[in-house]
Amino acid sequence: MASWNCLSSSIVEYCEGADFYCCGYCKNLEGSRSNGMWAHSMTVQDYQDLIDRGWRRSGKYVYKPIMNQTCCPQYTIRCRPLQFQPSKSHKKVLKKVLKFLAKGEILRRNCEDEPMDSTMEDSVAGDFALINKLDIKCDLKMLSSDLKESLESEEKKKEKNSKTEESNELTHSQAIEDKLGSGEPLHSIKVHMVPKPGKGADLSKPPCRKAKEIRKERKMLKLMQQNPAGEFESFQAQGQPPKAKSNQPKSLEDLIFESLPENASHKLEVRLVPVSFEDPEFKSSFSQSFSLYVKYQMAIHQDSPHECGKTQFTRFLCSSPLEAENPPNGPECGYGSFHQQYWLDGKIIAVGVIDILPYCVSSVYLYYDPDYSFLSLGVYSALREIAFTRQLHEKTSQLSYYYMGFYIHSCPKMKYKGQYRPSDLLCPETYVWVPIEQCLPSLENSKYCRFNQDPEAVDEGRSKEPDRVRVFHKKAIMPYGVYKKHQKDPSEEATVLQYANLVGQACSERMLLFRN
């Protein structure tokens, strides 16, 4: 048996039985059910293995929902940052933040509803990738004389036939020009259609134009922007447009770190601070961070002052069981728990609480200044954390996932996490990762689902040798096989076996189960 002095492992105290408590999602007073344990200390590898079995921490309390019994099943969800491409709604948020930083522009139209809107999909990603990539402000003077004459002729016809509509409608080419310059989708441009059979044509309007001609003209404008002289002359001489250069969509990093003008209205700085009262930066910013937490909880979650006091804040977001580790092959910042602070013009406006683990960045919580809700800071911080994961991966190749906590399909406000694609859900029975697209049809039919479609598959990490569970008793470490010989309580074995099955064989052999 090992002594207390040799101790360097995770120490956990398992809570017997299952807890029933009020569900924070459907508000069922006794609908939520989970198993839990108090982590006095925990290594980052042990916690990585636990969250890969459906566990999650809140402060030092680590819990696992009983998926087939709880009212709102909570599925662990992870995003794959290396393949992640921001959606249109994500790009809108990033552009909104950049405009605010550059010019102080404030857009307040339903900002906080954006991540919850499940209809925001990249169904026409091809067109919008082009619009977002190009910032074209064509000048008609750049057009060749032939094209210019054609456009002017069309405009004169329009002026002659419909003076009353002159102030309200643009010519088609001018509309394309304006749409390209504004970044709006091309399909919103007005195009007069051929009248349906049996209906007379409206002679007061210019003749309809074929979609092929419109696409050709749009391509010409694009080519002229890239090379207004050489390539356009080649196009006129040969009568065929040259092959367009491939337009890769902007990366997440390009969108986040786009350069700002020297006279930008605001300055945003993101600082990574270890969660430790021994760290001078964490200690000096604690008061401001706590005040922000109180403001957020009272405004967003309607907490009373006594529900979000300093004690609750410290236990929930500043106390972590994770032991900081700095191995030579790990990230420069090391592993452990951190606060990612967003400083705007010298003050904290948001804090993302994260854990950096061997294979992932795990998001714990976010709180922000409600006065800046118009910036959609929930979405913005998630995108920054995805980019941060990619940055850590450059030095630590195995660190390549972003864990977003729990996905709750039965709760509409929590389904937004499924919009960060590609992503996977954890099978609650076999603990394998399954692409979310394969899981959603099953979740539409049932709250609780086994995602692994192989009926023969089992939990490969389950406890197979419970006697090898490490027990910490009376300042001594021993295998459970030795410990149980001295115990007479029949319920003791059932508790240890339940613990071993929930944490899995690997963790049960590494972690120390405290028994009083």
Side-chain angles (χ1 to χ4, degrees), residues 43-331:
T43 66
V44 291
Q45 184 61 61
D46 284 341
Y47 186 55
Q48 174 73 67
D49 290 348
L50 286 175
I51 63 175
D52 283 337
R53 292 184 62 83
W55 291 82
R56 191 82 182 154
R57 80 173 183 88
S58 176
K60 289 190 172 185
Y61 183 71
V62 188
Y63 64 99
K64 185 181 189 302
I66 303 177
M67 298 291 282
N68 59 353
Q69 297 180 25
T70 192
C71 55
C72 296
Q74 302 159 60
Y75 299 92
T76 303
I77 183 172
R78 73 177 186 184
C79 172
R80 286 175 259 154
L82 305 187
Q83 294 83 38
F84 175 79
Q85 285 293 334
S87 67
K88 295 189 299 295
S89 60
H90 295 152
K91 291 175 183 177
K92 286 181 181 178
V93 170
L94 294 175
K95 289 179 180 179
K96 177 169 55 180
V97 172
L98 285 173
K99 284 184 178 180
F100 172 73
L101 296 176
K103 303 177 183 178
E105 291 184 15
I106 298 177
L107 301 175
R108 297 182 179 272
R109 55 177 187 275
N110 298 325
C111 299
E112 290 307 305
D113 291 336
E114 288 180 354
M116 311 299 181
D117 187 356
S118 59
T119 63
M120 291 183 175
E121 299 289 343
D122 277 333
S123 56
V124 285
D127 262 352
F128 286 94
L130 173 63
I131 301 301
N132 289 325
K133 183 72 176 176
L134 301 175
D135 184 18
I136 299 176
K137 295 182 180 178
C138 281
D139 186 345
L140 285 177
K141 292 179 182 179
M142 294 169 59
L143 301 176
S144 70
S145 58
D146 290 344
L147 180 58
K148 184 176 180 181
E149 288 175 7
S150 172
L151 296 176
E152 288 177 348
S153 173
E154 183 174 316
E155 189 170 331
K156 287 178 181 178
K157 287 181 181 179
K158 184 175 180 179
E159 290 175 357
K160 182 178 179 180
N161 295 330
S162 182
K163 289 184 179 180
T164 58
E165 296 181 2
E166 182 179 2
S167 61
N168 297 326
E169 292 191 15
L170 296 169
T171 62
H172 182 73
S173 60
Q174 184 66 45
I176 290 178
E177 177 188 334
D178 291 343
K179 291 294 181 181
L180 286 170
S182 65
E184 294 180 33
L186 288 170
H187 60 67
S188 65
I189 298 173
K190 284 189 176 181
V191 179
H192 295 296
M193 304 302 292
V194 177
K196 292 182 179 180
K199 294 187 178 181
D202 186 351
L203 299 178
S204 67
K205 296 182 179 180
C208 72
R209 306 179 64 205
K210 292 182 179 180
K212 184 176 180 181
E213 294 177 359
I214 296 170
R215 290 196 300 270
K216 188 175 180 180
E217 184 172 282
R218 181 172 62 183
K219 197 166 188 177
M220 288 163 54
L221 291 174
K222 173 187 162 188
L223 292 173
M224 287 164 40
Q225 174 68 14
Q226 293 174 343
N227 189 347
E231 289 189 1
F232 189 73
E233 290 173 2
S234 172
F235 164 77
Q236 283 190 314
Q238 300 175 18
Q240 294 293 333
K243 290 184 178 180
K245 296 177 182 177
S246 61
N247 287 300
Q248 294 295 329
K250 284 186 177 181
S251 69
L252 177 61
E253 288 76 10
D254 290 338
L255 294 166
I256 290 176
F257 302 110
E258 187 171 317
S259 59
L260 295 171
E262 292 183 3
N263 60 343
S265 299
H266 301 283
K267 179 184 178 182
L268 178 67
E269 181 184 1
V270 180
R271 302 177 189 172
L272 186 70
V273 181
V275 176
S276 169
F277 285 99
E278 295 179 1
D279 183 84
E281 196 168 358
F282 180 82
K283 195 172 181 179
S284 64
S285 62
F286 177 83
S287 178
Q288 188 180 164
S289 185
F290 167 62
S291 298
L292 178 64
Y293 166 79
V294 173
K295 185 176 182 180
Y296 171 80
Q297 291 295 126
M298 293 180 67
I300 304 299
H301 296 290
Q302 287 77 51
D303 282 1
S304 60
H306 76 274
E307 290 178 306
C308 50
K310 189 172 291 186
T311 301
Q312 288 87 343
F313 172 66
T314 303
R315 285 179 178 172
F316 179 35
L317 299 174
C318 301
S319 293
S320 170
L322 301 184
E323 300 291 336
E325 298 179 25
N326 289 276
N329 60 341

Side-chain angles (χ1 to χ4, degrees), residues 422-494:
S423 57
D424 310 300
L425 297 183
L426 186 67
C427 176
E429 296 182 11
T430 62
Y431 304 110
V432 296
W433 294 98
V434 181
I436 192 170
E437 295 86 354
Q438 297 178 23
C439 306
L440 295 180
S442 300
L443 289 172
E444 288 295 328
N445 297 322
S446 174
K447 285 184 179 181
Y448 173 75
C449 298
R450 170 193 167 109
F451 298 136
N452 192 329
Q453 297 300 308
D454 180 2
E456 303 298 323
V458 296
D459 170 18
E460 296 295 341
R462 67 190 183 281
S463 174
K464 303 180 185 72
E465 300 178 76
D467 281 356
R468 294 174 62 88
V469 172
R470 295 180 82 199
V471 175
F472 180 57
H473 178 62
K474 293 184 178 180
K475 297 185 179 181
I477 301 169
M478 64 192 78
Y480 176 66
V482 174
Y483 169 78
K484 70 179 181 180
K485 293 178 181 178
H486 306 285
Q487 299 304 312
K488 297 179 180 180
D489 185 355
S491 66
E492 180 81 3
E493 184 170 8

